[in-house]
Amino acid sequence: QNNRTVTGKIIDETGVPLAGVTVAIPGTRTGTVTNATGLFSLNIPEGTKAVKVSFIGYESQTVSLTDASDITIKIKPDNKSLSEVVVVGYGTQKRVEITGSIGTVKGTAIAQQPVQSFDGALGGRVAGVQITVPNGVVNNPPVFRIRGTNSISLSSYPLIVIDGVVSFTGDIGSTAAPTNPLAGINPNDIESIDIAKDAAATSIYGSRGANGVVFVTTKKGKQGKAKVTYSGWVGEAQAQRLPKLLNAQQYVDNKNLGIAHAAADGKNLGTSFAINEDKNGNPINTNWLDVVYRKAVSHSHAISISGANDKTTYYMSAGFTDQQGILRRNEFVRKNILFNIDQKVGSILTIGGKISYANEKNLSANSSGSLEGEAFNSGGLARLAFLTGPNVSPYLNDGSYNVDGGVIGTMGNVGVQSGIYNPQVILDLDRSNSINNHIQSSIYAQLRPFSWVTLRTQYGIDQNHIDNELYENPISGDASPTAEAINATGIYNRWVWDNTIQFDKSFGKHSFSLLGGTEEEKSTKELFGIDRTGQNDPLFNNVEGGWQTTNPISSPVNTYNYLVSEFGRLNYNYAEKYFISANLRRDGNSNLGKNAKYGNFYGLSAGWTVSNENFWSHSSLGKTLNDLKLKASYGKVGNASISDFKSFSFYGSKLYNGDPTLYYSQAGNDYLTWETSKQLNIGLSFGLFDSRLHGEFNWYRNNVDGLILFVPMPPSAGVPTTIPKNIGSMYNTGEEIALGATIINHKNFTWNSDFNISFNRNKITNLYDGATQIISQTSGLESVSVQKVGDPIGMIFVTRTAGVDPANGKRIFVAADGQKFEFSLYGGGDGLANKWMTTDGKTTTRSVSGADAVAYKKTNPTFFGGWDNTFRYKSFELGILATFQAGNYVYYGTNAGLKDQRYWNNSTDVLHAWNTPNQKTDVPRVVYGDNISNGSSFPLDVNVFKGDFIKLRSVTLAYYLPGNVLTSTHLSSVKLYVSSNNLGIWTKYPGPDPEVSSNGNNPGLQGIDRNTLANGRTLTFGLNVGF
Amino acid sequence: CQKSLLYPTPTTQISDISAFDTPERIFGQVYGLYGQLKDGNFFGERYQIYNEVRGEEFINLKGNAFTALQTWNFSVNSNAQEVENLWSSAYKTINATNVFLDGMTAKGNTIVDAATADNYTGEAKFIRGLSFYSLLQLYARPYWDNPTTNPGLVIYLEGNKNPASYQKARSTVADSYKQALSDLDSAENLLPESYEDNSKGQNTTRATKGAAIAIKTRVYLSMGNYDQVIAEANKIVSPAAPFQSSAGLALVANIKDAFASINTTENIFSLPFTSADVDAPGTQNSFAEYFLPSSLGGKAEYSLNASGIVAEATWGASDARRDFVTISGGSPYLIKFSTPSPYTDWAPIIRYSEVLLNLAEALVRKNNTVNAQAVALLSAVRHRSDPSVTYTTASFASATALLDAILLERRIEFLGEGLRGPDITRQGIAFPAKGAASSTAPTSPNYIWPMSADELNQNKLAVPN
């Protein structure tokens, strides 16, 4: 028998060579394993048609042999693998044993995404997980919801656990450049993200589990020789779907038309707008969008060195990324380094740890107007971009800034403003930066005195030292004419110490795993700094320079919270058919009332792998439906993310006649405790055709009780502050479907597809005594959201209208009682403003206002999801991730501004404003100064739109350099790709993006688009090289 | 683990658990109560401004609802910011005194010596009594109008600290006055005549026995209980001129001194302001900001009414009090409070001249004669500012003439100090028309303020006015 030698290389789907992979001849004992560089050499008998490649954690693959003697075989991770493990909190568990609801995202899926932090790239990948990127400001935390919104006053952001240490979340900076601490991890360093959704999976985190738990695991070295990789990309981003604005001529004509209409109504305003000329005598026609937005350039680079032998495992990486925002001067720059090591000491002890350092620069000129609380900022740059008159220019003809008394100059306009601040001045001179020096580090020791006992202790820190540095110029902006510089240090420090003991033992077909542990965690927050005004010279633009006044910053902070816990978990299974799991946790939390510090939380779950029953696997149905598992869970988890010290009663200190005083300043609640969430989950997972098609279905219901609300009290009680009280309740219920399939599995062409869709229904069932609704404001100004008993959280709250009267062009408003009234700014002919009339033209003393608003539409989608496809053809790979949602509405408040008939520039919609009798249009007759008819004064239903969309979230085309080329270059893998985020969007929403939030993560204020910066579309080119 | 960390001791605020631990903290709280009293929405100084502009002496120039336009023209609704804010600020003060008194009982009395504890308790009761009385002037019908049936105040005498619904009905006007008097009686018994340390004007900026008595003359006058006005006033007014109290309360020779240096024998009780951020009156709260013309650093929210008291012929040109009026841009302005921003003039709450005029009025009203002592008291006040005038019983043809002269003297003497509104309502006369604002009769619902809408919304037992 003639033998021949086949040599080859085994690589993973990203082209990285894999060591230790078994290559064998099917049906024989002949085989070998790949060496450290992924190479193998195997003697095969003549006539052998195929080899079988198998590796733990990867799909086994039988590869047909050709005459070629040197082959490269790519294998891909096996999502269904029996050995696949899932991070479950203080440990891992085999996926097949999981009875809770946990979704997993592989690190490879997000590694090359042009995002600042991983959370922004999770959208559409896991059922039940909704990610809303609120705007195009870089490093802004996304709105992150797991199974709906589970709180009204507290955070609805899930708990993020990075390598066993709970991370800070949200915007922890104090400037206009948001500072998401999750950006401290280079997405490239993430191995996997496991998202726990039901109480069975989250109850091990007890009082913090109600919003779900996200476990982030960073990469470790793998057995074999040292592996070195480089990955990098360069790209550009551009704003998309910006509103179409009037040009200078249209603006001047429209405003003068409004002035003429006012005059026709009996009000001579004595103002006018004019076309101005630049120094060359050409008419000025400024597109302010071009002044504020830009084509942003970004690049990112990371190298890693990793490896492992039987004693030592190590991984080290360093990264640099510089990502510009589409808003000029907005930028994110991160330098980071990560090192982890695990060392076996003797036979029973392992010691290891990690250190991660990141210098995260979040840069901005000044407010984009897009963060929570900023929507109506006078200097909000996104708003200035569409508000400022196009007939004035950033510069006067002598080259100096066009500024008059701090606001933009009017040039030839008479008696009117042309805008608020000159955005060019702000963009040139201001600074609002937060620089986070961020250390995440941990060390552990693990002892296994017996094979079935594991003792482990881990101490971890998450330290954020943030330098908030602001400067506002004296020429145009909020600090004009004195200028202002602020330097404030923010310190967010946390330490976590946990100790666990775990017993794993099997008796025959009975398998037990028992975990017990304790944890302590302390988090401190500090913010302090100085605020200087009265610039002595334009040179002095930092606090260290020469200024006239020095004050402390207005709201210094020095608080902490402490958590102490005991927890346990028991997993039992019989013959891998019947599974039971129980979790218990007792938490003590310093932020709660002194009589309610401790709480107990639990989760119980059970599973039945029907397909492991003989009757099933031997049946004909079992041959097709090869995998079927039923599961159910119930548990109680909590949410205690209330601000530090809110439950306490305090005395503050002021002065009386220059002497110190103490005064009763905060009323507390000794019984303030967590919001509790009782969660029921029933699900099944299945695999068909040898799991070529697999899926999971879950139904859940979360009843949230004891919602913390700040209940108003009669003033006569004299209590100095509203007191937080556990009083409201609501529920979320829904269904999740996830399907995965290998649709085509051809030698040269494969198509894998994963689809998920989630339905969620939210309802508030109780607020506090006597309250049926709580009205919530955007940026403290616009009452456009309402929390109402019987409705979902965050209903849009607007006043109804009934079109534009074709006879006279007036907006018809609907009062709370259903009566209709028409509004005209100067309709009375007496020169006085704000006239209301009945629809038959009679003057009336009635008026319609924000007090007539109704809970109009919901902002939660009926369903949302994602569809992820991977096509592979030879060395090419095309990935397409589409996300979608439907059933929600968005309040496009920006649109009110875009039709505001004061000096503001308008969208081209106003060109079809009513102008002749019997004209049918949805834009009322323009009257200069009218800010009521289109919704600027109080919010109107005409600015509420459906938020349904389908988005091409991510499209990537990659090319893997073939093995023969690689061999000659001494590289082990090379991947080239081109990728785009937000390549396309299909929506009827008229604003830039229905995925938007003017109120950040605020639970009750979603679905509001008020003066927000648009989102960008990115295009990147990338290169990954393995050496 | 560190269980103590579960019960944090914050470093930037003092927990209620330890607020009564040291004599210094307890003393700080006493000053804190005065600090509450001088909150911008209450005695520092909107309470006085509202009461002043309800009267006929001022003309609103700015038409700004945030600077008392609606109070000036009698168009306030129950959700007007002044109606809601003053109610809430006064009750925060009242509750702060209740919380303090509870804390003294629970712990404070064991930390400080008995005399000090009495003194502090007296101060808290003085503040509470003054607050109750003052709320009645705006939110309740005057005492002459069915006091045992008309609704007065919601009265709490225990500290409210916990989340509860706090539903409580309003007591009657009579019961509310009774409570104010009970607090002031108690304060009189507990307070010292004067303070050992008067280096920063403690005798003026802290309550004294004399202050409690002086406020009681005001309270009884509002109730029309002239016997008690006389009885209280006699405790601190000597039978014959020069009028003074045993503790040294007396008129100062020059009335301007009572506003310039503030800490005088005449300033029985005043609230101090300094330029420090948390000790200044704050925006849109102070007399000087409202009344000073812009040429003198004010906001000229109100000028004096040219046809008001300034037009009074019997108010002589040589009267020193005429110097409190200046003409700016053709209009008269009050410059009694003259410090520009941050407007650190102290707020006079009660001066000795008021006690003298209260006593004089009570004597006349009680006896309905040209009472010699009443004439002497009135004369003391007039003569101090206008040496050309000395009244004798011959100066007045009748008791009515004397009474009119006393009431006129009050308008001159206390112009801008916030007494005019209560002086009108206690007499049951109409608020006169002024500028664009028309007259408001005692029968009008606007004669007093409406009840706070916040209160009506949250306290279902509270009734509207």
Side-chain angles (χ1 to χ4, degrees):
Chain A
Q1 191 175 11
N2 292 329
N3 282 4
R4 69 175 177 120
T5 301
V6 174
T7 58
K9 184 173 191 176
I10 310 292
I11 57 174
D12 72 7
E13 58 179 355
T14 63
V16 174
L18 296 167
V21 180
T22 303
V23 183
I25 300 165
T28 73
R29 302 185 72 128
T30 310
T32 182
V33 292
T34 55
N35 69 10
T37 55
L39 298 175
F40 69 89
S41 172
L42 182 64
N43 261 328
I44 56 168
E46 200 68 63
T48 304
K49 295 221 159 46
V51 290
K52 185 174 180 185
V53 182
S54 55
F55 189 46
I56 288 172
Y58 285 77
E59 283 180 8
S60 295
Q61 202 175 327
T62 303
V63 181
S64 305
L65 292 176
T66 61
D67 290 340
S69 59
D70 189 11
I71 56 176
T72 297
I73 300 169
K74 190 188 302 172
I75 60 175
K76 61 172 186 167
D78 180 4
N79 292 325
K80 255 42 74 204
S81 165
L82 294 183
S83 60
E84 191 198 0
V85 295
V86 175
V87 178
V88 292
Y90 312 99
T92 57
Q93 210 178 343
K94 285 189 201 165
R95 181 168 286 284
V96 293
E97 294 175 355
I98 296 284
T99 47
S101 186
I102 300 179
T104 300
V105 178
K106 289 285 169 203
T108 48
I110 55 166
Q112 277 97 40
Q113 292 294 315
V115 291
Q116 297 82 50
S117 61
F118 67 88
D119 46 349
L122 293 177
R125 297 186 191 274
V126 174
V129 175
Q130 189 192 5
I131 300 287
T132 302
V133 176
N135 49 55
V137 182
V138 292
N139 205 23
N140 203 5
V143 183
F144 196 156
R145 298 284 181 267
I146 297 176
R147 293 188 167 178
T149 301
N150 284 291
S151 186
I152 293 177
S153 305
L154 305 188
S155 170
S156 285
Y157 213 85
L159 187 75
I160 309 285
V161 183
I162 301 169
D163 293 328
V165 177
V166 172
S167 172
F168 287 101
T169 53
D171 177 2
I172 62 171
S174 310
T175 69
T179 305
N180 181 356
L182 299 181
I185 318 167
N186 186 340
N188 212 38
D189 286 332
I190 293 176
E191 178 69 31
S192 69
I193 296 167
D194 296 290
I195 302 177
K197 300 185 284 188
D198 69 343
T202 61
S203 53
I204 196 73
Y205 274 94
S207 66
R208 294 173 291 173
N211 295 322
V213 182
V214 177
F215 298 101
V216 178
T217 309
T218 55
K219 286 176 179 167
K220 297 255 185 192
K222 292 195 169 79
Q223 286 281 331
K225 80 156 201 180
K227 203 157 83 174
V228 176
T229 65
Y230 164 82
S231 44
W233 53 261
V234 56
E236 63 170 42
Q238 249 180 311
Q240 55 173 347
R241 294 168 50 90
L242 291 173
K244 287 189 180 57
L245 302 176
L246 301 181
N247 64 28
Q249 189 63 54
Q250 290 167 323
Y251 170 78
V252 168
D253 291 349
N254 184 61
K255 294 299 162 192
N256 286 335
L257 179 66
I259 292 167
H261 284 163
D265 292 350
K267 178 71 178 180
N268 188 355
L269 293 164
T271 58
S272 64
F273 288 78
I275 289 288
N276 300 301
E277 289 183 353
D278 67 16
K279 64 180 174 209
N280 300 321
N282 297 319
I284 288 171
N285 182 18
T286 307
N287 185 345
W288 290 98
L289 294 171
D290 290 342
V291 174
V292 169
Y293 288 92
R294 67 174 166 190
K295 186 181 276 188
V297 177
S298 299
H299 57 106
S300 187
H301 312 273
I303 57 165
S304 73
I305 307 157
S306 65
N309 59 31
D310 54 356
K311 290 279 186 204
T312 310
T313 302
Y314 64 93
Y315 176 88
M316 178 184 162
S317 81
F320 173 76
T321 188
D322 183 347
Q323 303 183 30
Q324 289 185 341
I326 53 175
L327 171 65
R328 272 180 217 277
R329 295 273 317 281
N330 178 217
E331 194 167 354
F332 172 76
V333 184
R334 175 183 57 221
K335 300 165 200 161
N336 77 291
I337 190 157
L338 168 68
F339 179 71
N340 67 51
I341 186 163
D342 303 88
Q343 177 69 42
K344 284 194 178 121
V345 184
S347 56
I348 61 168
L349 179 65
T350 309
I351 293 175
K354 84 160 189 181
I355 183 158
S356 158
Y357 168 77
N359 175 268
E360 305 150 32
K361 288 185 185 171
N362 304 282
L363 312 176
S364 185
N366 210 324
S367 165
S368 62
S370 307
L371 308 190
E372 187 174 8
E374 289 187 350
F376 296 99
N377 279 10
S378 300
L381 287 163
R383 184 194 199 193
L384 293 182
F386 63 74
L387 172 150
T388 312
N391 67 331
V392 297
S393 123
Y395 302 99
L396 295 174
N397 290 345
D398 64 5
S400 63
Y401 286 124
N402 177 21
V403 169
D404 183 5
V407 301
I408 190 160
T410 58
M411 297 187 127
N413 299 339
V414 178
V416 286
Q417 275 179 268
S418 305
I420 308 175
Y421 303 138
N422 184 338
Q424 188 69 51
V425 182
I426 293 171
L427 286 165
D428 286 352
L429 301 178
D430 285 3
R431 245 180 10 254
S432 189
N433 300 336
S434 67
I435 294 150
N436 186 4
N437 283 297
H438 190 176
I439 297 169
Q440 291 163 290
S441 182
S442 60
I443 185 160
Y444 75 90
Q446 180 172 300
L447 201 59
R448 292 189 72 179
F450 309 100
S451 64
W452 52 279
V453 181
T454 309
L455 292 137
R456 185 182 160 96
T457 182
Q458 174 169 305
Y459 186 87
I461 58 167
D462 183 6
Q463 311 249 96
N464 296 270
H465 197 106
I466 304 152
D467 181 22
N468 298 289
E469 211 253 328
L470 299 91
Y471 168 73
E472 285 187 281
N473 76 79
I475 300 166
S476 186
D478 287 332
S480 134
T482 61
E484 183 174 25
I486 298 174
N487 202 332
T489 297
I491 297 174
Y492 284 68
N493 282 350
R494 171 173 290 155
W495 59 259
V496 187
W497 185 26
D498 52 65
N499 296 287
T500 56
I501 181 164
Q502 183 163 340
F503 305 95
D504 298 285
K505 194 88 180 153
S506 295
F507 305 94
K509 288 182 173 178
H510 303 274
S511 295
F512 293 89
S513 173
L514 178 66
L515 172 84
T518 64
E519 183 171 74
E520 279 182 86
E521 179 183 303
K522 189 180 179 208
S523 310
T524 54
K525 286 182 195 172
E526 276 187 76
L527 183 67
F528 54 90
I530 56 169
D531 181 345
R532 308 203 70 180
T533 56
Q535 195 176 20
N536 289 345
D537 186 283
L539 178 78
F540 302 131
N541 69 0
N542 54 32
V543 293
E544 293 86 353
W547 295 81
Q548 288 165 22
T549 70
T550 305
N551 284 304
I553 57 164
S554 56
S555 332
V557 177
N558 187 329
T559 67
Y560 79 84
N561 67 71
Y562 174 72
L563 200 72
V564 57
S565 316
E566 295 106 44
F567 53 86
R569 172 169 58 219
L570 173 67
N571 291 328
Y572 164 78
N573 80 69
Y574 176 78
E576 300 218 320
K577 282 193 283 197
Y578 312 110
F579 301 87
I580 294 174
S581 177
N583 288 279
L584 194 62
R585 181 162 177 133
R586 179 171 172 79
D587 279 335
N589 183 328
S590 67
N591 270 345
L592 301 177
K594 69 177 179 204
N595 298 325
K597 294 281 187 200
Y598 289 93
N600 298 320
F601 304 90
Y602 61 88
L604 297 168
S605 56
W608 177 27
T609 305
V610 184
S611 51
N612 282 359
E613 297 283 1
N614 284 340
F615 71 79
W616 184 277
S617 53
H618 293 162
S619 71
S620 58
L621 179 61
K623 298 266 188 287
T624 318
L625 189 52
N626 60 298
D627 179 14
L628 179 65
K629 184 171 174 183
L630 308 176
K631 57 188 183 179
S633 75
Y634 182 74
K636 178 181 135 184
V637 285
N639 184 352
S641 58
I642 188 162
S643 312
D644 293 347
F645 302 162
K646 272 286 180 217
S647 67
F648 305 158
S649 292
F650 279 132
Y651 285 80
S653 186
K654 287 188 188 172
L655 294 174
Y656 180 66
N657 201 13
D659 290 329
T661 70
L662 283 183
Y663 69 103
Y664 186 37
S665 59
Q666 177 176 310
N669 179 351
D670 289 344
Y671 293 90
L672 185 74
T673 190
W674 2 70
E675 299 182 348
T676 53
S677 181
K678 288 182 182 149
Q679 308 187 340
L680 176 64
N681 188 86
I682 295 170
L684 67 84
S685 60
F686 63 89
L688 282 165
F689 316 118
D690 211 9
S691 290
R692 194 165 158 181
L693 172 66
H694 53 91
E696 182 163 343
F697 170 83
N698 281 291
W699 172 86
Y700 62 88
R701 181 171 170 116
N702 299 349
N703 287 328
V704 190
D705 286 316
L707 285 172
I708 292 175
L709 298 174
F710 289 81
V711 181
M713 285 174 288
S716 61
V719 179
T721 46
T722 54
I723 300 181
K725 204 170 166 185
N726 296 89
I727 196 158
S729 55
M730 68 177 176
Y731 68 78
N732 281 287
T733 187
E735 299 80 27
E736 295 169 359
I737 300 165
L739 296 171
T742 305
I743 296 171
I744 295 174
N745 191 10
H746 199 268
K747 183 181 152 206
N748 282 331
F749 182 67
T750 61
W751 174 16
N752 287 297
S753 191
D754 286 289
F755 175 82
N756 69 74
I757 185 166
S758 309
F759 299 82
N760 185 69
R761 294 168 295 284
N762 173 288
K763 192 178 197 178
I764 296 172
T765 48
N766 188 33
L767 294 169
Y768 46 83
D769 277 351
T772 55
Q773 61 182 33
I774 301 173
I775 297 164
S776 314
Q777 293 175 323
T778 291
S779 299
L781 208 64
E782 192 168 64
S783 297
V784 68
S785 302
V786 67
Q787 325 308 329
K788 200 170 177 195
V789 174
D791 277 338
I793 186 170
M795 293 287 285
I796 296 173
F797 189 63
V798 288
T799 298
R800 301 299 310 271
T801 61
V804 172
D805 188 339
N808 56 27
K810 291 176 188 167
R811 170 79 71 206
I812 303 168
F813 292 78
V814 183
D817 62 6
Q819 283 195 70
K820 291 178 181 169
F821 298 95
E822 294 185 353
F823 173 78
S824 163
L825 187 57
Y826 300 115
D830 56 3
L832 297 176
N834 295 350
K835 295 293 172 183
W836 291 89
M837 278 162 221
T838 58
T839 43
D840 49 8
K842 297 196 178 86
T843 55
T844 171
T845 54
R846 285 278 309 265
S847 64
V848 182
S849 70
D852 295 285
V854 296
Y856 182 55
K857 294 286 183 190
K858 68 181 181 132
T859 53
N860 296 332
T862 308
F863 64 84
F864 62 89
W867 188 21
D868 195 3
N869 291 284
T870 307
F871 304 91
R872 290 193 186 85
Y873 175 71
K874 292 188 174 167
S875 296
F876 289 92
E877 182 180 276
L878 174 65
I880 300 173
L881 172 65
T883 61
F884 56 86
Q885 71 179 38
N888 64 309
Y889 286 78
V890 179
Y891 172 65
Y892 185 29
T894 311
N895 200 41
L898 287 169
K899 290 181 183 150
D900 191 305
Q901 291 308 315
R902 291 174 287 179
Y903 56 84
W904 305 28
N905 195 11
N906 294 139
S907 73
T908 51
D909 288 351
V910 299
L911 297 175
H912 3 93
W914 186 94
N915 214 11
T916 49
N918 299 322
Q919 183 183 348
K920 288 207 165 140
T921 175
D922 55 354
V923 185
R925 172 170 173 262
V926 297
V927 177
Y928 187 78
D930 181 1
N931 69 342
I932 289 181
S933 294
N934 292 301
S936 269
S937 178
F938 52 90
L940 302 181
D941 59 359
V942 291
N943 294 319
V944 178
F945 298 93
K946 281 187 165 204
D948 305 358
F949 69 81
I950 300 173
K951 253 187 196 186
L952 281 179
R953 174 82 45 176
S954 165
V955 177
T956 303
L957 179 64
Y959 174 70
Y960 295 90
L961 233 57
N964 50 357
V965 181
L966 286 175
T967 318
S968 63
T969 57
H970 303 286
L971 297 172
S972 63
S973 67
V974 173
K975 173 188 175 185
L976 290 159
Y977 64 90
V978 52
S979 176
S980 177
N981 271 23
N982 288 343
L983 183 61
I985 174 165
W986 290 270
T987 180
K988 288 189 173 158
Y989 183 70
D993 196 332
E995 240 196 313
V996 62
S997 173
S998 285
N999 297 298
N1001 265 282
N1002 194 314
L1005 284 163
Q1006 292 302 302
I1008 307 301
D1009 184 359
R1010 195 48 151 136
N1011 303 330
T1012 311
L1013 195 78
N1015 260 318
R1017 171 193 295 164
T1018 64
L1019 183 66
T1020 55
F1021 298 88
L1023 168 68
N1024 292 356
V1025 183
F1027 297 93
Chain B
C1 75
Q2 299 147 279
K3 291 264 151 84
S4 65
L5 287 174
L6 279 179
Y7 301 87
T9 312
T11 53
T12 55
Q13 286 174 300
I14 290 177
S15 161
D16 63 332
I17 301 160
S18 60
F20 289 86
D21 280 5
T22 67
E24 292 75 17
R25 284 185 187 167
I26 294 171
F27 180 61
Q29 289 193 56
V30 174
Y31 268 23
L33 298 178
Y34 290 111
Q36 300 261 17
L37 190 67
K38 75 166 185 143
D39 178 74
N41 284 306
F42 199 20
F43 274 100
E45 301 155 343
R46 281 176 173 261
Y47 170 80
Q48 301 94 306
I49 291 167
Y50 296 143
N51 277 307
E52 196 60 44
V53 304
R54 296 185 91 216
E56 68 271 49
E57 315 294 12
F58 288 89
I59 297 295
N60 182 291
L61 301 176
K62 292 287 165 71
N64 183 353
F66 290 95
T67 49
L69 170 70
Q70 293 166 335
T71 289
W72 178 79
N73 67 16
F74 290 82
S75 64
V76 279
N77 297 316
S78 64
N79 58 4
Q81 52 97 20
E82 57 259 58
V83 171
E84 294 195 330
N85 291 352
L86 196 147
W87 181 261
S88 135
S89 174
Y91 272 103
K92 279 180 188 163
T93 309
I94 290 164
N95 188 47
T97 62
N98 289 334
V99 169
F100 176 76
L101 291 168
D102 289 353
M104 288 302 287
T105 308
K107 186 167 189 185
N109 290 337
T110 64
I111 303 293
V112 295
D113 63 64
T116 307
D118 280 353
N119 191 347
Y120 293 170
T121 303
E123 290 180 271
K125 292 204 168 169
F126 172 83
I127 290 167
R128 190 171 72 183
L130 174 63
S131 301
F132 279 136
Y133 165 78
S134 304
L135 279 174
L136 285 163
Q137 305 315 304
L138 285 167
Y139 296 94
R141 291 289 296 171
Y143 198 84
W144 49 262
D145 184 11
N146 297 313
T148 55
T149 50
N150 275 331
L153 304 176
V154 180
I155 295 178
Y156 287 99
L157 301 177
E158 66 284 354
N160 294 329
K161 299 174 74 172
N162 299 316
S165 64
Y166 296 113
Q167 304 293 300
K168 192 162 193 175
R170 297 169 67 181
S171 299
T172 62
V173 168
D175 286 344
S176 305
Y177 270 95
K178 203 169 154 192
Q179 181 57 47
L181 284 168
S182 149
D183 282 337
L184 293 166
D185 284 339
S186 179
E188 180 193 346
N189 289 330
L190 296 165
L191 287 169
E193 296 264 8
S194 62
Y195 290 90
E196 274 174 37
D197 177 8
N198 190 32
S199 58
K200 297 181 84 174
Q202 283 87 340
N203 285 336
T204 296
T205 59
R206 295 180 69 177
T208 55
K209 197 180 286 290
I213 294 164
I215 294 292
K216 278 196 283 177
T217 67
R218 182 188 283 181
V219 176
Y220 283 122
L221 192 64
S222 297
M223 297 166 74
N225 187 339
Y226 306 116
D227 285 335
Q228 285 299 327
V229 176
I230 295 162
E232 294 294 340
N234 283 339
K235 294 177 185 172
I236 52 171
V237 180
S238 54
F243 300 108
Q244 58 191 335
S245 81
S246 58
L249 295 173
L251 294 182
V252 290
N254 183 347
I255 189 171
K256 288 175 198 159
D257 292 345
F259 295 90
S261 63
I262 295 295
N263 180 27
T264 71
T265 56
E266 175 160 345
N267 300 99
I268 303 175
F269 182 61
S270 294
L271 290 167
F273 293 93
T274 70
S275 59
D277 249 8
V278 293
D279 209 18
T283 314
Q284 295 184 337
N285 292 336
S286 59
F287 291 124
E289 182 173 349
Y290 278 70
F291 300 152
L292 272 190
S294 41
S295 56
L296 296 176
K299 296 274 170 66
E301 298 279 350
Y302 290 82
S303 70
L304 282 167
N305 182 0
S307 52
I309 191 69
V310 293
E312 175 61 38
T314 62
W315 184 8
S318 60
D319 193 314
R321 295 170 296 190
R322 283 279 181 193
D323 294 345
F324 288 142
V325 178
T326 192
I327 304 294
S328 175
S331 298
Y333 284 87
L334 181 74
I335 56 170
K336 199 180 238 179
F337 307 99
S338 57
T339 314
S341 180
Y343 310 114
T344 51
D345 295 296
W346 289 14
I349 306 302
I350 193 159
R351 290 193 288 121
Y352 197 64
S353 55
E354 184 187 339
V355 179
L356 300 187
L357 292 178
N358 288 350
L359 176 55
E361 184 177 341
L363 288 167
V364 178
R365 287 188 189 271
K366 186 193 173 196
N367 302 310
N368 202 25
T369 58
V370 181
N371 180 287
Q373 195 195 357
V375 172
L377 290 160
L378 171 63
S379 189
V381 173
R382 171 63 67 115
H383 186 82
R384 180 253 300 256
S385 293
D386 187 349
S388 69
V389 179
T390 304
Y391 293 123
T392 64
T393 50
S395 309
F396 304 100
S398 66
T400 311
L402 173 55
L403 189 59
D404 287 347
I406 293 168
L407 291 168
L408 185 76
E409 195 66 28
R410 290 177 73 93
R411 287 175 64 191
I412 297 168
E413 177 71 13
F414 307 120
L415 182 59
E417 294 177 52
L419 294 188
R420 188 59 188 148
D423 271 355
I424 287 173
T425 53
R426 74 181 165 87
Q427 293 181 72
I429 57 175
F431 282 101
K434 71 235 169 182
S438 47
S439 172
T440 301
T443 48
S444 162
N446 296 336
Y447 196 60
I448 56 169
W449 269 2
M451 180 43 51
S452 155
D454 267 352
E455 184 69 25
L456 295 172
N457 288 337
Q458 307 299 339
N459 179 6
K460 297 300 173 199
L461 298 178
V463 292
N465 283 333

